[in-house]
Amino acid sequence: MKRMVWEFLNTKYRNVLVYRQIFDLSDKLMEKFITDKGNGIIEFVRYHHGKDVRTRVNNFLIGDIKRYFDIDRFDIEIYVLEWCRDKSVSTIEM
């Protein structure tokens, strides 16, 4: 399923550049992925104490994926995060 979702994303968003921002804060590590037009795609937060992980995918992307695939939101979040990490053209550490 992951391969099919990635192929869909690569086809639908083939002309979109993805940038990765990393914020290493005292209590958490945040990764934000944005497009070349400044639109947010996904935000991933991992707290250093190891108990919480939070992910937020923009609704437009979830809607596009759910229109073609019958998968739950958790799987969408994982596939989009991995796709963004793979597709990102630049990483900015803050």
Side-chain angles (χ1 to χ4, degrees):
M1 182 61 74
K2 174 183 167 181
R3 185 180 58 79
M4 292 189 312
V5 171
W6 274 37
E7 285 179 14
F8 167 77
L9 292 169
N10 283 330
T11 301
K12 182 150 180 88
Y13 300 104
R14 68 181 164 274
N15 295 324
V16 174
L17 297 177
V18 176
Y19 296 96
R20 178 184 187 191
Q21 295 177 312
I22 297 176
F23 301 88
D24 194 1
L25 306 173
S26 62
D27 63 334
K28 61 189 167 193
L29 177 74
M30 293 176 57
E31 287 182 83
K32 290 185 177 184
F33 294 90
I34 58 173
T35 68
D36 51 338
K37 297 191 183 344
N39 300 322
I41 300 172
I42 186 171
E43 183 177 303
F44 174 77
V45 179
R46 185 181 73 236
Y47 291 88
H48 292 311
H49 58 71
K51 294 182 181 176
D52 290 325
V53 173
R54 296 195 180 139
T55 307
R56 185 178 55 84
V57 178
N58 277 348
N59 289 333
F60 74 89
L61 202 54
I62 291 172
D64 284 347
I65 293 170
K66 281 191 161 280
R67 200 170 302 136
Y68 296 99
F69 303 100
D70 184 26
I71 56 177
D72 63 31
R73 190 177 179 100
F74 180 73
D75 288 333
I76 291 173
E77 291 172 354
I78 291 170
Y79 298 156
V80 170
L81 178 62
E82 291 175 350
W83 178 76
C84 283
R85 285 176 174 164
D86 185 67
K87 187 173 173 62
S88 62
V89 295
S90 178
T91 298
I92 304 162
E93 294 192 33
M94 317 222 34

